[in-house]
Amino acid sequence: KVLCVGDGNMSFALALATVCGNEGTNLVVTTRETLGVARKIYGDACDATVEALEACGATVHFGVECETLRARAKTLQEAASGSAGAFDRIVFNFPDAGVGKVGPLSVQAQRELLASFFENAPGLLKGSGEMHVALQTGPPYAGWNIEGVGAKCGVVLKTVVEFEASDFPGYEYCHTATEDEEDEIEPRADDIECECATYIFVKGAGASC
């Protein structure tokens, strides 16, 4: 049972369901944008992607921020048509606070976003569940110190594996829209053609959630 958090245009979730033989009954997808905003910034593909996900049996929830995950735990856990209860995996690919990626204020905002995820996501996991966070490994992303943020929040880094977008046919990475952006967002494949990794965390004994 998988929860995809902050999946923007939802193309990763659709790719995941496709890889799993168009089986999505144990897949729940969230995006921080409301449906109206998602339609505006992702265009016609938004409704088509939602329709395809629901045809696979997946469930989509709009307007879900990291800091609201724990408060919406019951709703999200019961959303999967295949089974209720806690999740085996929670996936958060290429987190981005939407404030740019350069400068100390940006770094602080990105770390706060990661902390919000690590503080809330464990409450939706099974005891043996995992949190998978994909991130570019070079600058400026290395400065976000994902390992340190996780440790401070009480979660434990289990392992790090290479992330290959080609493993998920149809996945189209899009950056997080800033408040000033009004035009439709185009996929940015180049942004994840660099070295990327998936950091796999588990609950720690002293987790803050």
Side-chain angles (χ1 to χ4, degrees), residues 38 46 55 73 84 126 196-197:
C46 176
K126 291 180 179 178
C196 302

Side-chain angles (χ1 to χ4, degrees), residues 143-184:
W144 299 2
N145 188 24
I146 184 172
E147 300 99 322
V149 173
K152 189 174 182 179
C153 294
V155 297
V156 177
L157 180 64
K158 178 180 179 180
T159 189
V160 182
V161 298
E162 185 177 4
F163 178 91
E164 287 285 355
S166 59
D167 291 340
F168 305 95
Y171 175 42
E172 296 184 324
Y173 166 78
C174 288
H175 70 282
T176 300
T178 66
E179 292 183 358
D180 298 328
E181 286 185 281
E182 297 181 353
D183 297 328
E184 186 175 323

Side-chain angles (χ1 to χ4, degrees), residues 19-37:
V19 168
C20 294
N22 294 319
E23 171 56 51
T25 55
N26 286 315
L27 177 62
V28 179
V29 188
T30 75
T31 177
R32 68 192 289 261
E33 293 85 12
T34 63
L35 176 58
V37 171

Side-chain angles (χ1 to χ4, degrees), residues 6 11 30 35 51 53 56 59 63 65 69 80 109-110 121 127 141 144 201:
S11 65
T30 75
L35 176 58
E51 183 177 339
L53 280 166
C56 292
T59 307
E65 301 274 4
L69 282 174
Q110 306 295 357
Y141 309 96
W144 299 2
F201 292 86

